[in-house]
Amino acid sequence: MWEKIVFESNKYARQKMLKSEKRIISGYHWRHDISLQEMYQFFGLLIYMATLPAPGRDYTYYWANYHVYPAWVDCMKLYRFKQIRSVLHFNSSTSSEKSKDPLHTVRPIYATIQEILGRYLDLGSEFSMRPAQHAVVHLGDT
């Protein structure tokens, strides 16, 4: 799954640069493709942000306050985070596939989550994961 995200994100970055005829992504020179390690770091930072919310502030706040959040500066430069964020893709973006499947852009992640949930959790009949609704619905008593 992670390799596919890296592949699709790098593919989209190349498409973006071909359209603009420049090696610029998010206002910065694109130096190299995203590595698997960088993708792990990117998602790690997203998870870290979710555990340390900064209400009313955007994600750049964490880098601006490096004395409070030193992990951000040590892990990844802000410009690189912006670049990865702007090209992040989970699946190919061909229009013919998009029109047939409303979950096309996130289908690989969705399928992996379904597989993992089925392998490790027995949710029983009270849970339903319906692709048409794009959500987990609890049908039991609260």
Side-chain angles (χ1 to χ4, degrees), residues 28-89:
Y28 299 94
H29 179 73
W30 184 264
R31 296 181 181 154
H32 56 85
D33 281 353
I34 302 164
S35 69
L36 185 58
Q37 179 69 30
E38 282 181 307
M39 193 59 74
Y40 288 152
Q41 290 170 321
F42 177 82
F43 276 93
L45 288 172
L46 289 177
I47 292 167
Y48 201 15
M49 284 180 204
T51 63
L52 297 170
R57 295 183 168 90
D58 72 356
Y59 65 93
T60 60
Y61 172 79
Y62 296 97
W63 280 269
N65 292 283
Y66 59 87
H67 57 283
V68 179
Y69 305 103
W72 270 260
V73 176
D74 295 339
C75 186
M76 182 179 284
K77 301 283 187 204
L78 177 59
Y79 83 88
R80 190 60 173 168
F81 186 88
K82 286 180 177 181
Q83 287 181 322
I84 294 172
R85 183 176 175 263
S86 74
V87 299
L88 185 65
H89 265 63

Side-chain angles (χ1 to χ4, degrees), residues 1 4-5 90-91 103-113:
M1 174 180 84
K4 178 155 178 71
I5 296 170
F90 300 102
N91 210 353
L103 290 180
H104 172 74
T105 56
V106 293
R107 177 64 62 194
I109 302 299
Y110 184 78
T112 300
I113 290 169

